[in-house]
Amino acid sequence: MGTRIQRQSLFLILVAGFLLLVRVESIRFDLESSHTKCISEDIKTNAMTVGKYHIVNLNEGQPLPDSHKVTVRVRSAYGNNYHYSDHVSEGMFSFHAPEEGDYRACFFASDHKPSTTMTVDFEWKSGVIAKDWTNVAKKGSIELMEIELKKMFDTVQSIHDEMFYLREREGEMQLLNRSTNSKMGWLSFLSLVVCLSVAGLQLWHLKSFFEKKKLI
């Protein structure tokens, strides 16, 4: 019974790790002239990330207006640039994240008179799913089964790395909890000392008052 529970727990951990590693964010949003819209994605070190974006043509069969252009910039949490496109209607970016943290993709629509609103489709993938397996198959001339095995191997490797990452974060959280508990203990002790000191001063003051009034 215990072994079965352990296996179920391990399976849930692997599934959770896989969901953390394979992230697909696909959104559609409106962007007004002279406004900026930023989207963030938490990416691990050395993880592959791919983003594609385009302005939606709401009038099918008609060309996009010249005003429907955006400037796109992708930055890391440390301010390093990984993609920049100016005055475009579509584009994409892909890179291996050398830094861990929140990456921000910002879309800016330049000022236009009269003001216009455009709709942007943006898809952002990170992790194993971001790899282009079609190109891998073409370059390696490998069979479908080998592709599936490689996908599984990369997925397991990513889950393995994620589990070590979560273990490190758990250790950091434990150290933080211990430090917080220690500080709270000292704060409680100091609060008790202050309360006892104030109570002692109050008793001394009352005793002095009663002695002056010759009540005791």
Side-chain angles (χ1 to χ4, degrees), residues 177-196:
N177 289 336
R178 290 173 185 171
S179 175
T180 303
N181 291 335
S182 177
K183 291 177 181 178
M184 289 300 297
W186 279 106
L187 180 61
S188 300
F189 176 74
L190 291 175
S191 300
L192 180 60
V193 170
V194 170
C195 290
L196 292 175

Side-chain angles (χ1 to χ4, degrees), residues 8-38:
Q8 290 177 346
S9 300
L10 180 60
F11 176 75
L12 291 175
I13 291 173
L14 292 175
V15 172
F18 178 75
L19 291 176
L20 286 172
L21 286 164
V22 180
R23 295 173 181 168
V24 181
E25 186 173 2
S26 180
I27 61 173
R28 174 177 287 194
F29 58 89
D30 293 333
L31 185 63
E32 297 182 18
S33 300
S34 71
H35 283 70
T36 301
K37 173 75 173 180
C38 291

Side-chain angles (χ1 to χ4, degrees), residues 141-206:
S141 299
I142 53 181
E143 300 295 332
L144 180 61
M145 182 62 70
E146 292 178 296
I147 297 176
E148 294 299 326
L149 289 174
K150 185 170 177 57
K151 285 183 182 180
M152 293 176 62
F153 175 79
D154 285 354
T155 301
V156 172
Q157 184 65 41
S158 299
I159 293 175
H160 180 265
D161 295 340
E162 182 69 17
M163 290 181 68
F164 273 99
Y165 170 74
L166 292 175
R167 186 176 297 176
E168 291 177 0
R169 292 297 299 272
E170 182 183 2
E172 293 175 359
M173 291 300 298
Q174 288 179 353
L175 291 176
L176 179 61
N177 289 336
R178 290 173 185 171
S179 175
T180 303
N181 291 335
S182 177
K183 291 177 181 178
M184 289 300 297
W186 279 106
L187 180 61
S188 300
F189 176 74
L190 291 175
S191 300
L192 180 60
V193 170
V194 170
C195 290
L196 292 175
S197 300
V198 171
L201 287 173
Q202 289 178 339
L203 290 174
W204 176 79
H205 177 72
L206 289 174

Side-chain angles (χ1 to χ4, degrees), residues 11-213:
F11 176 75
L12 291 175
I13 291 173
L14 292 175
V15 172
F18 178 75
L19 291 176
L20 286 172
L21 286 164
V22 180
R23 295 173 181 168
V24 181
E25 186 173 2
S26 180
I27 61 173
R28 174 177 287 194
F29 58 89
D30 293 333
L31 185 63
E32 297 182 18
S33 300
S34 71
H35 283 70
T36 301
K37 173 75 173 180
C38 291
I39 296 146
S40 62
E41 174 79 358
D42 185 20
I43 305 176
K44 283 187 57 183
T45 305
N46 295 325
M48 182 68 181
T49 183
V50 176
K52 297 180 181 180
Y53 54 88
H54 72 274
I55 297 175
V56 179
N57 190 351
L58 299 179
N59 298 317
E60 295 185 5
Q62 300 293 328
L64 279 171
D66 292 336
S67 60
H68 283 44
K69 304 288 184 181
V70 293
T71 297
V72 185
R73 185 189 299 271
V74 180
R75 286 181 174 178
S76 70
Y78 301 96
N80 297 320
N81 290 319
Y82 292 95
H83 175 74
Y84 178 79
S85 291
D86 185 31
H87 203 63
V88 295
S89 59
E90 62 180 353
M92 68 169 294
F93 58 85
S94 63
F95 58 88
H96 282 87
E99 304 166 323
E100 180 181 336
D102 285 333
Y103 286 72
R104 291 167 61 87
C106 292
F107 298 79
F108 170 72
S110 58
D111 192 17
H112 187 270
K113 300 296 182 182
S115 179
T116 60
T117 300
M118 64 193 78
T119 302
V120 181
D121 259 346
F122 180 45
E123 183 181 38
W124 200 348
K125 302 177 182 178
S126 62
V128 178
I129 199 171
K131 287 188 176 182
D132 190 349
W133 294 103
T134 303
N135 287 338
V136 170
K138 290 179 179 178
K139 292 179 181 178
S141 299
I142 53 181
E143 300 295 332
L144 180 61
M145 182 62 70
E146 292 178 296
I147 297 176
E148 294 299 326
L149 289 174
K150 185 170 177 57
K151 285 183 182 180
M152 293 176 62
F153 175 79
D154 285 354
T155 301
V156 172
Q157 184 65 41
S158 299
I159 293 175
H160 180 265
D161 295 340
E162 182 69 17
M163 290 181 68
F164 273 99
Y165 170 74
L166 292 175
R167 186 176 297 176
E168 291 177 0
R169 292 297 299 272
E170 182 183 2
E172 293 175 359
M173 291 300 298
Q174 288 179 353
L175 291 176
L176 179 61
N177 289 336
R178 290 173 185 171
S179 175
T180 303
N181 291 335
S182 177
K183 291 177 181 178
M184 289 300 297
W186 279 106
L187 180 61
S188 300
F189 176 74
L190 291 175
S191 300
L192 180 60
V193 170
V194 170
C195 290
L196 292 175
S197 300
V198 171
L201 287 173
Q202 289 178 339
L203 290 174
W204 176 79
H205 177 72
L206 289 174
K207 182 180 179 182
S208 300
F209 175 77
F210 288 139
E211 285 178 347
K212 288 180 180 179
K213 298 294 183 179

